[in-house]
PDB file of all heavy atoms in Angstrom:
ATOM      1  N   THR A   1       4.462  -0.378 -11.226  1.00 86.00           N
ATOM      2  CA  THR A   1       5.749  -0.767 -11.923  1.00 86.00           C
ATOM      3  C   THR A   1       5.795   0.062 -13.209  1.00 86.00           C
ATOM      4  O   THR A   1       4.951   0.025 -14.028  1.00 86.00           O
ATOM      5  CB  THR A   1       5.804  -2.207 -12.286  1.00 86.00           C
ATOM      6  OG1 THR A   1       5.577  -3.014 -11.161  1.00 86.00           O
ATOM      7  CG2 THR A   1       7.201  -2.631 -12.933  1.00 86.00           C
ATOM      8  N   ALA A   2       6.822   0.939 -13.310  1.00 82.00           N
ATOM      9  CA  ALA A   2       7.075   1.864 -14.419  1.00 82.00           C
ATOM     10  C   ALA A   2       7.660   1.016 -15.617  1.00 82.00           C
ATOM     11  O   ALA A   2       8.260   0.016 -15.532  1.00 82.00           O
ATOM     12  CB  ALA A   2       7.964   2.981 -14.064  1.00 82.00           C
ATOM     13  N   ALA A   3       7.340   1.571 -16.750  1.00 85.00           N
ATOM     14  CA  ALA A   3       7.962   1.006 -17.996  1.00 85.00           C
ATOM     15  C   ALA A   3       9.418   1.221 -18.134  1.00 85.00           C
ATOM     16  O   ALA A   3       9.919   2.288 -17.582  1.00 85.00           O
ATOM     17  CB  ALA A   3       7.269   1.640 -19.187  1.00 85.00           C
ATOM     18  N   THR A   4      10.132   0.300 -18.653  1.00 82.00           N
ATOM     19  CA  THR A   4      11.623   0.295 -18.601  1.00 82.00           C
ATOM     20  C   THR A   4      12.004   0.911 -19.917  1.00 82.00           C
ATOM     21  O   THR A   4      13.154   1.289 -20.093  1.00 82.00           O
ATOM     22  CB  THR A   4      12.274  -0.989 -18.283  1.00 82.00           C
ATOM     23  OG1 THR A   4      11.736  -1.940 -19.359  1.00 82.00           O
ATOM     24  CG2 THR A   4      11.943  -1.505 -16.977  1.00 82.00           C
ATOM     25  N   VAL A   5      11.061   0.900 -20.931  1.00 86.00           N
ATOM     26  CA  VAL A   5      11.345   1.464 -22.336  1.00 86.00           C
ATOM     27  C   VAL A   5      10.146   2.446 -22.539  1.00 86.00           C
ATOM     28  O   VAL A   5       9.037   2.217 -22.081  1.00 86.00           O
ATOM     29  CB  VAL A   5      11.557   0.457 -23.319  1.00 86.00           C
ATOM     30  CG1 VAL A   5      12.818  -0.393 -23.119  1.00 86.00           C
ATOM     31  CG2 VAL A   5      10.302  -0.419 -23.491  1.00 86.00           C
ATOM     32  N   PRO A   6      10.382   3.406 -23.387  1.00 88.00           N
ATOM     33  CA  PRO A   6       9.149   4.347 -23.791  1.00 88.00           C
ATOM     34  C   PRO A   6       8.080   3.311 -24.338  1.00 88.00           C
ATOM     35  O   PRO A   6       8.207   2.491 -25.164  1.00 88.00           O
ATOM     36  CB  PRO A   6       9.670   5.136 -24.824  1.00 88.00           C
ATOM     37  CG  PRO A   6      11.208   5.234 -24.547  1.00 88.00           C
ATOM     38  CD  PRO A   6      11.573   3.887 -24.023  1.00 88.00           C
ATOM     39  N   ALA A   7       6.868   3.604 -23.872  1.00 93.00           N
ATOM     40  CA  ALA A   7       5.551   2.974 -24.232  1.00 93.00           C
ATOM     41  C   ALA A   7       5.596   1.467 -23.864  1.00 93.00           C
ATOM     42  O   ALA A   7       4.814   0.650 -24.451  1.00 93.00           O
ATOM     43  CB  ALA A   7       5.214   3.125 -25.706  1.00 93.00           C
ATOM     44  N   GLY A   8       6.539   1.075 -22.963  1.00 93.00           N
ATOM     45  CA  GLY A   8       6.642  -0.322 -22.624  1.00 93.00           C
ATOM     46  C   GLY A   8       5.535  -0.686 -21.597  1.00 93.00           C
ATOM     47  O   GLY A   8       4.753   0.141 -21.091  1.00 93.00           O
ATOM     48  N   GLY A   9       5.579  -1.940 -21.323  1.00 93.00           N
ATOM     49  CA  GLY A   9       4.604  -2.502 -20.249  1.00 93.00           C
ATOM     50  C   GLY A   9       4.782  -1.951 -18.948  1.00 93.00           C
ATOM     51  O   GLY A   9       5.914  -1.657 -18.482  1.00 93.00           O
ATOM     52  N   GLN A  10       3.658  -1.748 -18.213  1.00 94.00           N
ATOM     53  CA  GLN A  10       3.649  -1.177 -16.937  1.00 94.00           C
ATOM     54  C   GLN A  10       2.551  -2.001 -16.241  1.00 94.00           C
ATOM     55  O   GLN A  10       1.745  -2.824 -16.719  1.00 94.00           O
ATOM     56  CB  GLN A  10       3.075   0.223 -16.827  1.00 94.00           C
ATOM     57  CG  GLN A  10       4.128   1.136 -17.628  1.00 94.00           C
ATOM     58  CD  GLN A  10       3.622   2.584 -17.384  1.00 94.00           C
ATOM     59  OE1 GLN A  10       3.517   3.127 -16.282  1.00 94.00           O
ATOM     60  NE2 GLN A  10       3.356   3.270 -18.452  1.00 94.00           N
ATOM     61  N   ALA A  11       2.594  -1.953 -14.831  1.00 95.00           N
ATOM     62  CA  ALA A  11       1.726  -2.856 -14.033  1.00 95.00           C
ATOM     63  C   ALA A  11       1.302  -2.098 -12.813  1.00 95.00           C
ATOM     64  O   ALA A  11       2.101  -1.375 -12.319  1.00 95.00           O
ATOM     65  CB  ALA A  11       2.287  -4.198 -13.696  1.00 95.00           C
ATOM     66  N   VAL A  12       0.145  -2.279 -12.430  1.00 96.00           N
ATOM     67  CA  VAL A  12      -0.337  -1.949 -11.000  1.00 96.00           C
ATOM     68  C   VAL A  12      -0.565  -3.296 -10.319  1.00 96.00           C
ATOM     69  O   VAL A  12      -1.462  -4.171 -10.830  1.00 96.00           O
ATOM     70  CB  VAL A  12      -1.640  -1.083 -11.034  1.00 96.00           C
ATOM     71  CG1 VAL A  12      -2.193  -0.798  -9.654  1.00 96.00           C
ATOM     72  CG2 VAL A  12      -1.391   0.179 -11.836  1.00 96.00           C
ATOM     73  N   ARG A  13       0.128  -3.492  -9.298  1.00 95.00           N
ATOM     74  CA  ARG A  13      -0.040  -4.705  -8.578  1.00 95.00           C
ATOM     75  C   ARG A  13      -0.865  -4.398  -7.277  1.00 95.00           C
ATOM     76  O   ARG A  13      -0.665  -3.379  -6.595  1.00 95.00           O
ATOM     77  CB  ARG A  13       1.296  -5.213  -8.075  1.00 95.00           C
ATOM     78  CG  ARG A  13       2.194  -5.818  -9.177  1.00 95.00           C
ATOM     79  CD  ARG A  13       3.507  -6.264  -8.795  1.00 95.00           C
ATOM     80  NE  ARG A  13       3.461  -7.273  -7.775  1.00 95.00           N
ATOM     81  CZ  ARG A  13       4.262  -7.419  -6.568  1.00 95.00           C
ATOM     82  NH1 ARG A  13       5.235  -6.561  -6.468  1.00 95.00           N
ATOM     83  NH2 ARG A  13       4.080  -8.262  -5.796  1.00 95.00           N
ATOM     84  N   VAL A  14      -1.926  -5.179  -7.103  1.00 95.00           N
ATOM     85  CA  VAL A  14      -2.802  -5.064  -5.924  1.00 95.00           C
ATOM     86  C   VAL A  14      -2.262  -5.942  -4.795  1.00 95.00           C
ATOM     87  O   VAL A  14      -2.218  -7.171  -5.053  1.00 95.00           O
ATOM     88  CB  VAL A  14      -4.299  -5.338  -6.290  1.00 95.00           C
ATOM     89  CG1 VAL A  14      -5.129  -5.201  -5.050  1.00 95.00           C
ATOM     90  CG2 VAL A  14      -4.709  -4.557  -7.481  1.00 95.00           C
ATOM     91  N   LEU A  15      -1.912  -5.445  -3.681  1.00 94.00           N
ATOM     92  CA  LEU A  15      -1.225  -6.254  -2.667  1.00 94.00           C
ATOM     93  C   LEU A  15      -2.180  -6.272  -1.371  1.00 94.00           C
ATOM     94  O   LEU A  15      -2.786  -5.385  -1.052  1.00 94.00           O
ATOM     95  CB  LEU A  15       0.045  -5.631  -2.282  1.00 94.00           C
ATOM     96  CG  LEU A  15       1.073  -5.405  -3.445  1.00 94.00           C
ATOM     97  CD1 LEU A  15       2.217  -4.713  -2.875  1.00 94.00           C
ATOM     98  CD2 LEU A  15       1.394  -6.734  -4.039  1.00 94.00           C
ATOM     99  N   GLU A  16      -2.141  -7.511  -0.793  1.00 92.00           N
ATOM    100  CA  GLU A  16      -2.864  -7.558   0.475  1.00 92.00           C
ATOM    101  C   GLU A  16      -1.923  -6.912   1.644  1.00 92.00           C
ATOM    102  O   GLU A  16      -0.905  -6.725   1.297  1.00 92.00           O
ATOM    103  CB  GLU A  16      -3.279  -9.061   0.791  1.00 92.00           C
ATOM    104  CG  GLU A  16      -2.076  -9.929   0.922  1.00 92.00           C
ATOM    105  CD  GLU A  16      -2.462 -11.286   1.349  1.00 92.00           C
ATOM    106  OE1 GLU A  16      -3.566 -11.527   1.857  1.00 92.00           O
ATOM    107  OE2 GLU A  16      -1.592 -12.228   0.994  1.00 92.00           O
ATOM    108  N   ARG A  17      -2.386  -6.804   2.862  1.00 90.00           N
ATOM    109  CA  ARG A  17      -1.661  -6.263   3.830  1.00 90.00           C
ATOM    110  C   ARG A  17      -0.248  -6.884   4.066  1.00 90.00           C
ATOM    111  O   ARG A  17       0.604  -6.264   4.407  1.00 90.00           O
ATOM    112  CB  ARG A  17      -2.428  -6.040   5.110  1.00 90.00           C
ATOM    113  CG  ARG A  17      -3.501  -4.990   4.979  1.00 90.00           C
ATOM    114  CD  ARG A  17      -4.185  -4.772   6.323  1.00 90.00           C
ATOM    115  NE  ARG A  17      -5.311  -3.928   5.963  1.00 90.00           N
ATOM    116  CZ  ARG A  17      -6.074  -3.302   6.939  1.00 90.00           C
ATOM    117  NH1 ARG A  17      -5.789  -3.545   8.111  1.00 90.00           N
ATOM    118  NH2 ARG A  17      -7.046  -2.474   6.560  1.00 90.00           N
ATOM    119  N   ALA A  18      -0.356  -8.205   4.024  1.00 92.00           N
ATOM    120  CA  ALA A  18       0.881  -8.975   4.271  1.00 92.00           C
ATOM    121  C   ALA A  18       1.850  -8.901   3.042  1.00 92.00           C
ATOM    122  O   ALA A  18       2.873  -9.467   3.177  1.00 92.00           O
ATOM    123  CB  ALA A  18       0.408 -10.500   4.516  1.00 92.00           C
ATOM    124  N   GLY A  19       1.486  -8.292   1.913  1.00 88.00           N
ATOM    125  CA  GLY A  19       2.303  -7.987   0.867  1.00 88.00           C
ATOM    126  C   GLY A  19       2.074  -9.101  -0.236  1.00 88.00           C
ATOM    127  O   GLY A  19       2.711  -8.934  -1.300  1.00 88.00           O
ATOM    128  N   GLY A  20       1.157 -10.003  -0.130  1.00 93.00           N
ATOM    129  CA  GLY A  20       0.963 -10.922  -1.206  1.00 93.00           C
ATOM    130  C   GLY A  20       0.142 -10.290  -2.352  1.00 93.00           C
ATOM    131  O   GLY A  20      -0.775  -9.405  -2.100  1.00 93.00           O
ATOM    132  N   GLN A  21       0.396 -10.629  -3.521  1.00 95.00           N
ATOM    133  CA  GLN A  21      -0.369 -10.018  -4.658  1.00 95.00           C
ATOM    134  C   GLN A  21      -1.660 -10.740  -4.825  1.00 95.00           C
ATOM    135  O   GLN A  21      -1.877 -11.930  -4.893  1.00 95.00           O
ATOM    136  CB  GLN A  21       0.450 -10.315  -5.887  1.00 95.00           C
ATOM    137  CG  GLN A  21      -0.084  -9.670  -7.128  1.00 95.00           C
ATOM    138  CD  GLN A  21       0.783  -9.550  -8.337  1.00 95.00           C
ATOM    139  OE1 GLN A  21       1.863  -8.903  -8.252  1.00 95.00           O
ATOM    140  NE2 GLN A  21       0.386 -10.092  -9.467  1.00 95.00           N
ATOM    141  N   VAL A  22      -2.677  -9.926  -4.825  1.00 96.00           N
ATOM    142  CA  VAL A  22      -4.088 -10.428  -4.989  1.00 96.00           C
ATOM    143  C   VAL A  22      -4.774  -9.911  -6.336  1.00 96.00           C
ATOM    144  O   VAL A  22      -5.805 -10.410  -6.728  1.00 96.00           O
ATOM    145  CB  VAL A  22      -5.046 -10.158  -3.866  1.00 96.00           C
ATOM    146  CG1 VAL A  22      -4.449 -10.788  -2.676  1.00 96.00           C
ATOM    147  CG2 VAL A  22      -5.193  -8.585  -3.739  1.00 96.00           C
ATOM    148  N   GLY A  23      -4.097  -9.094  -7.050  1.00 96.00           N
ATOM    149  CA  GLY A  23      -4.663  -8.645  -8.339  1.00 96.00           C
ATOM    150  C   GLY A  23      -3.646  -7.874  -9.060  1.00 96.00           C
ATOM    151  O   GLY A  23      -2.487  -7.585  -8.530  1.00 96.00           O
ATOM    152  N   ARG A  24      -3.881  -7.631 -10.379  1.00 96.00           N
ATOM    153  CA  ARG A  24      -2.811  -6.935 -11.300  1.00 96.00           C
ATOM    154  C   ARG A  24      -3.612  -6.362 -12.466  1.00 96.00           C
ATOM    155  O   ARG A  24      -4.432  -6.887 -12.973  1.00 96.00           O
ATOM    156  CB  ARG A  24      -1.699  -8.047 -11.737  1.00 96.00           C
ATOM    157  CG  ARG A  24      -0.640  -7.303 -12.479  1.00 96.00           C
ATOM    158  CD  ARG A  24       0.433  -8.313 -12.581  1.00 96.00           C
ATOM    159  NE  ARG A  24       1.445  -8.001 -13.595  1.00 96.00           N
ATOM    160  CZ  ARG A  24       2.704  -8.171 -13.619  1.00 96.00           C
ATOM    161  NH1 ARG A  24       3.125  -8.986 -12.667  1.00 96.00           N
ATOM    162  NH2 ARG A  24       3.501  -7.848 -14.576  1.00 96.00           N
ATOM    163  N   LEU A  25      -3.034  -5.230 -12.915  1.00 97.00           N
ATOM    164  CA  LEU A  25      -3.409  -4.592 -14.173  1.00 97.00           C
ATOM    165  C   LEU A  25      -2.195  -4.354 -15.049  1.00 97.00           C
ATOM    166  O   LEU A  25      -1.247  -3.807 -14.533  1.00 97.00           O
ATOM    167  CB  LEU A  25      -4.089  -3.207 -13.781  1.00 97.00           C
ATOM    168  CG  LEU A  25      -4.355  -2.199 -14.914  1.00 97.00           C
ATOM    169  CD1 LEU A  25      -5.366  -2.690 -15.845  1.00 97.00           C
ATOM    170  CD2 LEU A  25      -4.638  -0.954 -14.301  1.00 97.00           C
ATOM    171  N   ASP A  26      -2.104  -4.929 -16.140  1.00 96.00           N
ATOM    172  CA  ASP A  26      -1.118  -4.663 -17.067  1.00 96.00           C
ATOM    173  C   ASP A  26      -1.576  -3.774 -18.147  1.00 96.00           C
ATOM    174  O   ASP A  26      -2.668  -3.936 -18.769  1.00 96.00           O
ATOM    175  CB  ASP A  26      -0.661  -6.138 -17.727  1.00 96.00           C
ATOM    176  CG  ASP A  26       0.145  -6.881 -16.825  1.00 96.00           C
ATOM    177  OD1 ASP A  26       0.717  -6.388 -15.814  1.00 96.00           O
ATOM    178  OD2 ASP A  26       0.344  -8.161 -17.033  1.00 96.00           O
ATOM    179  N   TYR A  27      -0.618  -2.830 -18.427  1.00 96.00           N
ATOM    180  CA  TYR A  27      -1.100  -1.757 -19.393  1.00 96.00           C
ATOM    181  C   TYR A  27       0.207  -1.052 -20.083  1.00 96.00           C
ATOM    182  O   TYR A  27       1.312  -1.299 -19.506  1.00 96.00           O
ATOM    183  CB  TYR A  27      -1.939  -0.703 -18.734  1.00 96.00           C
ATOM    184  CG  TYR A  27      -1.313   0.170 -17.747  1.00 96.00           C
ATOM    185  CD1 TYR A  27      -0.899   1.430 -17.998  1.00 96.00           C
ATOM    186  CD2 TYR A  27      -0.972  -0.276 -16.425  1.00 96.00           C
ATOM    187  CE1 TYR A  27      -0.205   2.223 -17.022  1.00 96.00           C
ATOM    188  CE2 TYR A  27      -0.312   0.408 -15.519  1.00 96.00           C
ATOM    189  CZ  TYR A  27      -0.056   1.641 -15.637  1.00 96.00           C
ATOM    190  OH  TYR A  27       0.637   2.525 -14.996  1.00 96.00           O
ATOM    191  N   GLN A  28      -0.130  -0.245 -21.067  1.00 96.00           N
ATOM    192  CA  GLN A  28       0.931   0.458 -21.820  1.00 96.00           C
ATOM    193  C   GLN A  28       0.325   1.842 -21.879  1.00 96.00           C
ATOM    194  O   GLN A  28      -0.791   2.121 -22.103  1.00 96.00           O
ATOM    195  CB  GLN A  28       1.265  -0.148 -23.145  1.00 96.00           C
ATOM    196  CG  GLN A  28       2.016  -1.337 -23.135  1.00 96.00           C
ATOM    197  CD  GLN A  28       2.235  -1.840 -24.656  1.00 96.00           C
ATOM    198  OE1 GLN A  28       1.308  -2.424 -25.221  1.00 96.00           O
ATOM    199  NE2 GLN A  28       3.372  -1.531 -25.129  1.00 96.00           N
ATOM    200  N   VAL A  29       1.347   2.880 -21.843  1.00 96.00           N
ATOM    201  CA  VAL A  29       1.054   4.223 -22.156  1.00 96.00           C
ATOM    202  C   VAL A  29       1.992   4.841 -23.062  1.00 96.00           C
ATOM    203  O   VAL A  29       3.248   4.655 -22.823  1.00 96.00           O
ATOM    204  CB  VAL A  29       1.017   5.068 -20.774  1.00 96.00           C
ATOM    205  CG1 VAL A  29       0.872   6.507 -21.013  1.00 96.00           C
ATOM    206  CG2 VAL A  29      -0.030   4.587 -19.871  1.00 96.00           C
ATOM    207  N   CYS A  30       1.635   5.595 -24.045  1.00 96.00           N
ATOM    208  CA  CYS A  30       2.548   6.335 -24.865  1.00 96.00           C
ATOM    209  C   CYS A  30       2.253   7.742 -24.738  1.00 96.00           C
ATOM    210  O   CYS A  30       1.096   8.214 -25.208  1.00 96.00           O
ATOM    211  CB  CYS A  30       2.397   5.858 -26.324  1.00 96.00           C
ATOM    212  SG  CYS A  30       3.445   6.808 -27.495  1.00 96.00           S
ATOM    213  N   HIS A  31       3.106   8.517 -24.036  1.00 96.00           N
ATOM    214  CA  HIS A  31       2.847   9.851 -23.910  1.00 96.00           C
ATOM    215  C   HIS A  31       2.925  10.737 -25.116  1.00 96.00           C
ATOM    216  O   HIS A  31       1.985  11.695 -25.335  1.00 96.00           O
ATOM    217  CB  HIS A  31       3.818  10.369 -22.789  1.00 96.00           C
ATOM    218  CG  HIS A  31       3.745   9.745 -21.585  1.00 96.00           C
ATOM    219  ND1 HIS A  31       2.485   9.915 -20.678  1.00 96.00           N
ATOM    220  CD2 HIS A  31       4.552   8.830 -20.779  1.00 96.00           C
ATOM    221  CE1 HIS A  31       2.633   9.172 -19.564  1.00 96.00           C
ATOM    222  NE2 HIS A  31       3.833   8.410 -19.691  1.00 96.00           N
ATOM    223  N   PRO A  32       3.770  10.543 -26.167  1.00 96.00           N
ATOM    224  CA  PRO A  32       3.751  11.392 -27.347  1.00 96.00           C
ATOM    225  C   PRO A  32       2.383  11.246 -28.125  1.00 96.00           C
ATOM    226  O   PRO A  32       1.956  12.184 -28.604  1.00 96.00           O
ATOM    227  CB  PRO A  32       5.021  10.858 -28.241  1.00 96.00           C
ATOM    228  CG  PRO A  32       5.955  10.317 -27.123  1.00 96.00           C
ATOM    229  CD  PRO A  32       4.954   9.699 -26.100  1.00 96.00           C
ATOM    230  N   CYS A  33       1.929  10.112 -28.092  1.00 96.00           N
ATOM    231  CA  CYS A  33       0.715   9.652 -28.835  1.00 96.00           C
ATOM    232  C   CYS A  33      -0.481   9.923 -28.011  1.00 96.00           C
ATOM    233  O   CYS A  33      -1.700   9.787 -28.497  1.00 96.00           O
ATOM    234  CB  CYS A  33       0.707   8.332 -29.444  1.00 96.00           C
ATOM    235  SG  CYS A  33       2.061   8.165 -30.590  1.00 96.00           S
ATOM    236  N   ARG A  34      -0.318  10.185 -26.665  1.00 97.00           N
ATOM    237  CA  ARG A  34      -1.349  10.259 -25.705  1.00 97.00           C
ATOM    238  C   ARG A  34      -2.461   9.109 -25.686  1.00 97.00           C
ATOM    239  O   ARG A  34      -3.605   9.341 -25.839  1.00 97.00           O
ATOM    240  CB  ARG A  34      -2.219  11.654 -25.916  1.00 97.00           C
ATOM    241  CG  ARG A  34      -1.235  12.757 -25.778  1.00 97.00           C
ATOM    242  CD  ARG A  34      -1.749  14.092 -25.760  1.00 97.00           C
ATOM    243  NE  ARG A  34      -2.802  14.427 -24.817  1.00 97.00           N
ATOM    244  CZ  ARG A  34      -2.495  14.810 -23.429  1.00 97.00           C
ATOM    245  NH1 ARG A  34      -1.181  14.939 -23.104  1.00 97.00           N
ATOM    246  NH2 ARG A  34      -3.438  15.040 -22.716  1.00 97.00           N
ATOM    247  N   LEU A  35      -1.874   7.888 -25.758  1.00 97.00           N
ATOM    248  CA  LEU A  35      -2.624   6.696 -25.884  1.00 97.00           C
ATOM    249  C   LEU A  35      -2.310   5.780 -24.514  1.00 97.00           C
ATOM    250  O   LEU A  35      -1.239   5.739 -24.254  1.00 97.00           O
ATOM    251  CB  LEU A  35      -2.482   5.828 -27.171  1.00 97.00           C
ATOM    252  CG  LEU A  35      -2.870   6.350 -28.406  1.00 97.00           C
ATOM    253  CD1 LEU A  35      -2.324   5.536 -29.524  1.00 97.00           C
ATOM    254  CD2 LEU A  35      -4.525   6.513 -28.511  1.00 97.00           C
ATOM    255  N   GLY A  36      -3.379   5.112 -24.134  1.00 97.00           N
ATOM    256  CA  GLY A  36      -3.262   4.056 -23.060  1.00 97.00           C
ATOM    257  C   GLY A  36      -3.890   2.825 -23.531  1.00 97.00           C
ATOM    258  O   GLY A  36      -4.893   2.819 -24.212  1.00 97.00           O
ATOM    259  N   TYR A  37      -3.390   1.647 -23.136  1.00 96.00           N
ATOM    260  CA  TYR A  37      -3.964   0.332 -23.578  1.00 96.00           C
ATOM    261  C   TYR A  37      -3.894  -0.514 -22.313  1.00 96.00           C
ATOM    262  O   TYR A  37      -2.775  -0.753 -21.905  1.00 96.00           O
ATOM    263  CB  TYR A  37      -3.064  -0.218 -24.773  1.00 96.00           C
ATOM    264  CG  TYR A  37      -3.307  -1.624 -25.029  1.00 96.00           C
ATOM    265  CD1 TYR A  37      -4.507  -1.875 -25.725  1.00 96.00           C
ATOM    266  CD2 TYR A  37      -2.618  -2.674 -24.700  1.00 96.00           C
ATOM    267  CE1 TYR A  37      -4.798  -3.413 -25.959  1.00 96.00           C
ATOM    268  CE2 TYR A  37      -2.755  -3.970 -24.853  1.00 96.00           C
ATOM    269  CZ  TYR A  37      -3.880  -4.213 -25.595  1.00 96.00           C
ATOM    270  OH  TYR A  37      -4.230  -5.612 -25.921  1.00 96.00           O
ATOM    271  N   ILE A  38      -5.156  -1.103 -22.097  1.00 96.00           N
ATOM    272  CA  ILE A  38      -5.146  -1.981 -20.960  1.00 96.00           C
ATOM    273  C   ILE A  38      -5.042  -3.461 -21.516  1.00 96.00           C
ATOM    274  O   ILE A  38      -6.040  -3.854 -22.251  1.00 96.00           O
ATOM    275  CB  ILE A  38      -6.361  -1.808 -20.057  1.00 96.00           C
ATOM    276  CG1 ILE A  38      -6.297  -0.545 -19.331  1.00 96.00           C
ATOM    277  CG2 ILE A  38      -6.543  -2.902 -19.025  1.00 96.00           C
ATOM    278  CD1 ILE A  38      -7.425  -0.030 -18.529  1.00 96.00           C
ATOM    279  N   ASP A  39      -4.031  -4.118 -21.164  1.00 95.00           N
ATOM    280  CA  ASP A  39      -3.846  -5.536 -21.807  1.00 95.00           C
ATOM    281  C   ASP A  39      -4.680  -6.501 -20.952  1.00 95.00           C
ATOM    282  O   ASP A  39      -5.450  -7.310 -21.521  1.00 95.00           O
ATOM    283  CB  ASP A  39      -2.399  -5.926 -21.790  1.00 95.00           C
ATOM    284  CG  ASP A  39      -2.275  -7.402 -22.321  1.00 95.00           C
ATOM    285  OD1 ASP A  39      -2.773  -7.516 -23.402  1.00 95.00           O
ATOM    286  OD2 ASP A  39      -1.678  -8.216 -21.535  1.00 95.00           O
ATOM    287  N   SER A  40      -4.696  -6.362 -19.696  1.00 94.00           N
ATOM    288  CA  SER A  40      -5.402  -7.369 -18.759  1.00 94.00           C
ATOM    289  C   SER A  40      -5.428  -6.901 -17.304  1.00 94.00           C
ATOM    290  O   SER A  40      -4.727  -6.041 -16.937  1.00 94.00           O
ATOM    291  CB  SER A  40      -4.816  -8.775 -18.855  1.00 94.00           C
ATOM    292  OG  SER A  40      -3.429  -8.603 -18.428  1.00 94.00           O
ATOM    293  N   ILE A  41      -6.540  -7.279 -16.715  1.00 95.00           N
ATOM    294  CA  ILE A  41      -6.669  -6.984 -15.376  1.00 95.00           C
ATOM    295  C   ILE A  41      -7.396  -8.177 -14.629  1.00 95.00           C
ATOM    296  O   ILE A  41      -8.299  -8.819 -15.305  1.00 95.00           O
ATOM    297  CB  ILE A  41      -7.732  -5.714 -15.218  1.00 95.00           C
ATOM    298  CG1 ILE A  41      -7.901  -5.308 -13.723  1.00 95.00           C
ATOM    299  CG2 ILE A  41      -9.003  -5.808 -15.880  1.00 95.00           C
ATOM    300  CD1 ILE A  41      -8.493  -3.967 -13.499  1.00 95.00           C
ATOM    301  N   ALA A  42      -7.039  -8.419 -13.510  1.00 95.00           N
ATOM    302  CA  ALA A  42      -7.595  -9.602 -12.800  1.00 95.00           C
ATOM    303  C   ALA A  42      -7.368  -9.242 -11.285  1.00 95.00           C
ATOM    304  O   ALA A  42      -6.343  -8.649 -10.836  1.00 95.00           O
ATOM    305  CB  ALA A  42      -6.839 -10.842 -13.125  1.00 95.00           C
ATOM    306  N   VAL A  43      -8.428  -9.856 -10.568  1.00 96.00           N
ATOM    307  CA  VAL A  43      -8.423  -9.824  -9.020  1.00 96.00           C
ATOM    308  C   VAL A  43      -8.763 -11.164  -8.638  1.00 96.00           C
ATOM    309  O   VAL A  43      -9.743 -11.808  -9.152  1.00 96.00           O
ATOM    310  CB  VAL A  43      -9.425  -8.722  -8.614  1.00 96.00           C
ATOM    311  CG1 VAL A  43      -9.437  -8.835  -7.025  1.00 96.00           C
ATOM    312  CG2 VAL A  43      -8.997  -7.396  -9.016  1.00 96.00           C
ATOM    313  N   ALA A  44      -8.114 -11.686  -7.696  1.00 96.00           N
ATOM    314  CA  ALA A  44      -8.316 -13.093  -7.212  1.00 96.00           C
ATOM    315  C   ALA A  44      -9.796 -13.177  -6.754  1.00 96.00           C
ATOM    316  O   ALA A  44     -10.331 -12.179  -6.159  1.00 96.00           O
ATOM    317  CB  ALA A  44      -7.402 -13.456  -6.012  1.00 96.00           C
ATOM    318  N   ALA A  45     -10.507 -14.222  -6.870  1.00 94.00           N
ATOM    319  CA  ALA A  45     -11.942 -14.290  -6.682  1.00 94.00           C
ATOM    320  C   ALA A  45     -12.380 -13.934  -5.360  1.00 94.00           C
ATOM    321  O   ALA A  45     -13.325 -13.201  -5.168  1.00 94.00           O
ATOM    322  CB  ALA A  45     -12.402 -15.767  -6.982  1.00 94.00           C
TER     323      ALA A  45
END
């Protein structure tokens, strides 16, 4: 999921084959400052 504003929140959703979400990584990237920040990451047990 791309950020809707510069340096805004983004996500990588981990999906099972049926399409259900089993994990997620929430992060931000600022291209002008060349910084990345991982807020949280989780995968179902």
Side-chain angles (χ1 to χ4, degrees):
T1 304
T4 57
V5 296
Q10 299 183 58
V12 175
R13 293 177 56 219
V14 181
L15 307 172
E16 63 180 334
R17 288 184 190 197
Q21 185 170 303
V22 298
R24 183 166 164 153
L25 167 71
D26 283 343
Y27 67 105
Q28 287 179 279
V29 172
C30 181
H31 297 293
C33 296
R34 300 184 64 79
L35 289 175
Y37 169 74
I38 295 177
D39 181 53
S40 55
I41 181 171
V43 174

